[in-house]
Amino acid sequence: MTKLAIIAGTIAVLAASASASFSQDVQNDRFKEVLDRGTLRVGVQGAFKPWAFRAPDGSLQGIEVDLAQTVADHMGVALEPVVITSANRMEFLQQGKVDLLIGAMSDRPDRRKIVGIVEPAYWTSGPTLMAKEGVISSWDDIKGKPVCGKQGVFYNKIAETEFGAKVIAFAGNTEAKQALRSGKCVAWVYDDTSISADLASGEWERYEMPVDTVFSNPWGAAVPLEEMDGIWGTFMAGMAYNWHKDGTLIELEKKWNVKPSPWIQKMHDELQYDDSYLEN
Amino acid sequence: MMSYSVARLTWRAPAIVGGLCIAATLATTFTAEAQDAGSGQMSAFAALVTWMPFILKGFLLNLLMSVLAMALATVTGLFLGFMQISPSAFIRLPAKFVTHLFRNSPWLVILFAIMLLVPFQVTLPGGEKVLIPDWVKATIGFALPVMANIAEILRGAIASIPSGQWESAESLAFTRGQTLRHIILPQCVRRMLPPWMNWYALLTLMTPMAAILGVSEALGNTQAAMEAAGSRPEFLIPFYLFLMTIFFVFIYPLSIYTRRLERRFSAGA
């Protein structure tokens, strides 16, 4: 089942990249289409707390849904969040099933060949491990051992290729963490933000985050590749810049109880425009 | 004719199983409850109650998909079945090929193929764009293998009618069409009904596969609910037990009724 999903995802990505290579000219079709339609379809994760997850009435909520709402408000259209998975999000964007991705996507060079990833990034995170106390002391300890992961997350590849772990990828976090508890794997490889939230919840006594993240990788919003240099990509770059500049992201951290990230604070400080000349 | 009361049998077992599931859920949550007392976290049972409407809403989509897929499969399957017994090879051979193709492919592969081949929106002649939702695609993907099996059931039922029936009809100067309509098919219907209902039950139990493709049906919603409630491992047992229970309570009476029909037809045959 998981293999199938991976194969399907791979085919989808290949198909998307094949179609992407044909269209190098700047187009603004998608942007116009959104204005004509009056709704903006944004691809968000469906089960990734607190970025995008379900409310008990079934509606989507979270940091990324709030960010998508600001985009829709600026365009004067209604927002329609569409649930994507890590395996199909880029294909959905290129096909036109969604107009924009704000879906916990790490900005990677291979992904930039397929979709237009907007700078500046709006969040950042990195792979780390959660394990029973005293089991793991460094990344090298997972060599040749089973490690639980989540399907479609590129951290799995890092754990396998760089550290030689045997990754068992699950469809959901709940299942993966249960597998860790029942001893199917020595550690759970995932986002540092998510793991520190788990450890803070008091549900994981006798568990720890024993290693530092390998690196921290920014997350970018994405538009279709052929719109990257047109209105859509340029407008989104402005949106992302403003999220940092006016403190939207810092407010969202507070609103959703995320541990304040030094990176977001740093970006907020750096992306201020010096307009002191207005005082003269 | 029947000495036992089906009504009693039909409702007792699901009630017992449902009761057992709820009891198990309570038992698992009470242990969690004890741990939760200090932390102020939502207990697993409270979380399940909170998310129940969302999961049940997903289950309605499972039922909708199963009913629509069954209707589609029945209509197309009967067509295919009749094509298979056509005297003309031009009609018979393609029908046989299609039937064997869909009968002998894994459901999940058919589902993926349909999901990737069917476009997500079609442009009408008027230039209007219509979105095809994922659950509609999934419904088509579920209908195809069932269609092939229904075609096979029809072919088998027709073949199982003794050839004497055909011969007597011929001696009475019935045409082939008349023989089928007035003599053969009426005898097929009762033979086909139990396997047809079996396939409906199987189809319904297959619908959670759509969760893999992002359709928000009961299984997908259960997983999303567990994540939203904090993805704590103690959710797994109550949530999945509840999911099992709703499917069981829906399907079990159907299977009892199917068995009863089988018995009645075999007695009357």
Side-chain angles (χ1 to χ4, degrees):
Chain A
M1 207 113 101
T2 56
K3 278 221 174 71
L4 257 177
I6 291 163
I7 292 166
T10 315
I11 292 170
V13 168
L14 286 173
S17 56
S19 65
S21 57
F22 293 130
S23 45
Q24 290 307 335
D25 310 341
V26 172
Q27 295 169 1
N28 288 313
D29 302 352
R30 193 74 66 86
F31 185 77
K32 290 184 200 127
E33 210 177 283
V34 174
L35 290 178
D36 290 342
R37 200 193 301 140
T39 51
L40 172 67
R41 297 195 201 110
V42 182
V44 294
Q45 298 273 352
F48 191 33
K49 199 175 182 174
W51 283 273
F53 62 106
R54 300 273 188 176
D57 66 358
S59 62
L60 286 154
Q61 54 179 2
I63 294 169
E64 291 178 333
V65 181
D66 289 348
L67 290 176
Q69 189 63 58
T70 64
V71 179
D73 291 346
H74 277 262
M75 292 174 74
V77 293
L79 172 68
E80 186 191 326
V82 178
V83 173
I84 47 91
T85 66
S86 299
N88 67 17
R89 55 194 167 188
M90 289 187 280
E91 183 211 9
F92 278 7
L93 180 64
Q94 285 310 112
Q95 278 186 340
K97 199 167 176 171
V98 296
D99 309 307
L100 172 71
L101 280 184
I102 309 182
M105 190 166 70
S106 300
D107 182 3
R108 307 293 307 151
D110 55 326
R111 290 173 176 170
R112 283 194 175 214
K113 292 192 184 96
I114 304 167
V115 293
I117 298 180
V118 175
E119 293 170 5
Y122 64 91
W123 210 273
T124 183
S125 76
T128 187
L129 299 172
M130 175 157 76
K132 257 209 168 73
E133 279 174 5
V135 174
I136 305 280
S137 56
S138 83
W139 277 99
D140 298 330
D141 291 351
I142 60 172
K143 194 179 172 69
K145 297 212 177 82
V147 169
C148 292
K150 181 170 178 181
Q151 285 168 26
V153 178
F154 84 103
Y155 301 159
N156 303 350
K157 223 185 319 185
I158 291 168
E160 278 184 328
T161 52
E162 288 188 36
F163 302 105
K166 292 198 194 86
V167 172
I168 312 165
F170 289 84
N173 296 7
T174 321
E175 286 83 352
K177 290 184 210 165
Q178 176 57 29
L180 172 67
R181 268 193 211 252
S182 59
K184 285 197 183 69
C185 35
V186 294
W188 150 240
V189 60
Y190 206 54
D191 258 347
D192 52 351
T193 42
S194 168
I195 289 179
S196 41
D198 278 341
L199 291 173
S201 74
E203 287 290 313
W204 291 88
E205 279 174 29
R206 299 191 318 283
Y207 282 83
E208 60 177 354
M209 195 158 66
V211 289
D212 288 331
T213 52
V214 187
F215 56 82
S216 190
N217 199 106
W219 301 2
V223 299
L225 197 57
E226 64 275 11
E227 306 241 342
M228 187 60 185
D229 297 324
I231 301 174
W232 205 194
T234 315
F235 163 75
M236 276 313 298
M239 285 298 305
Y241 171 84
N242 280 331
W243 290 335
H244 285 291
K245 178 174 175 266
D246 62 19
T248 303
L249 291 167
I250 292 176
E251 273 167 43
L252 287 175
E253 278 182 325
K254 286 199 194 86
K255 179 181 169 184
W256 296 100
N257 287 328
V258 183
K259 203 169 75 179
S261 131
W263 179 81
I264 286 183
Q265 188 58 52
K266 183 180 78 113
M267 292 289 279
H268 174 67
D269 298 337
E270 278 177 6
L271 294 184
Q272 297 300 328
Y273 176 62
D274 179 10
D275 58 8
S276 56
Y277 56 81
L278 294 172
E279 320 278 312
N280 304 337
Chain B
M1 188 173 113
M2 289 293 154
S3 55
Y4 61 85
S5 149
V6 169
R8 234 177 52 204
L9 233 184
T10 309
W11 293 111
R12 210 195 297 159
I16 291 169
V17 173
L20 279 175
C21 281
I22 291 165
T25 310
L26 283 172
T28 50
T29 47
F30 272 127
T31 47
E33 207 87 59
Q35 297 166 355
D36 283 346
S39 64
Q41 289 250 21
M42 202 186 236
S43 75
F45 186 68
L48 179 59
V49 171
T50 309
W51 292 94
M52 222 175 255
F54 179 55
I55 295 171
L56 288 170
K57 205 166 84 183
F59 185 64
L60 283 181
L61 187 59
N62 289 80
L63 297 189
L64 181 68
M65 285 195 294
S66 71
V67 169
L68 289 178
M70 198 65 195
L72 191 63
T74 305
V75 173
T76 49
L78 291 179
F79 258 100
L80 258 189
F82 282 125
M83 284 166 74
Q84 282 199 75
I85 57 161
S86 159
S88 143
F90 268 115
I91 299 177
R92 196 174 60 237
L93 292 176
K96 274 212 184 318
F97 172 74
V98 169
T99 306
H100 288 302
L101 177 71
F102 288 120
R103 263 192 91 199
N104 302 304
S105 308
W107 287 42
L108 197 56
V109 175
I110 296 175
L111 198 58
F112 268 113
I114 292 291
M115 279 285 174
L116 297 173
L117 292 174
V118 177
F120 70 96
Q121 71 177 11
V122 283
T123 312
L124 294 180
E128 208 165 316
K129 286 180 175 163
V130 179
L131 275 185
I132 302 178
D134 278 344
W135 67 266
V136 172
K137 287 199 222 175
T139 303
I140 297 168
F142 290 131
L144 291 173
V146 181
M147 165 192 82
N149 281 289
I150 287 178
E152 212 47 14
I153 289 170
L154 178 69
R155 198 187 57 81
I158 291 173
S160 75
I161 307 287
S163 59
Q165 300 275 330
W166 287 93
E167 285 152 17
S168 345
E170 211 172 341
S171 67
L172 293 169
F174 275 70
T175 62
R176 185 182 155 84
Q178 286 174 323
T179 311
L180 270 176
R181 195 162 52 235
H182 297 296
I183 297 162
I184 306 295
L185 287 183
Q187 300 181 65
C188 286
V189 170
R190 53 191 318 198
R191 291 178 191 215
M192 283 172 62
L193 199 56
W196 182 85
M197 283 173 63
N198 266 332
W199 275 105
Y200 175 70
L202 268 175
L203 170 66
T204 310
L205 296 177
M206 286 298 175
T207 50
M209 282 200 307
I212 303 166
L213 297 152
V215 176
S216 46
E217 49 61 79
L219 173 64
N221 284 7
T222 301
Q223 289 171 337
M226 285 191 292
E227 303 288 330
S231 68
R232 281 148 46 203
E234 63 266 29
F235 290 159
L236 286 166
I237 294 170
F239 275 74
Y240 279 120
L241 267 182
F242 174 71
L243 187 60
M244 253 171 73
T245 310
I246 50 180
F247 273 95
F248 183 87
V249 167
F250 177 74
I251 292 291
Y252 188 73
L254 270 179
S255 65
I256 288 272
Y257 185 61
T258 311
R259 241 184 299 168
R260 187 178 142 218
L261 280 181
E262 274 175 353
R263 238 179 264 143
R264 208 171 74 196
F265 290 153
S266 63

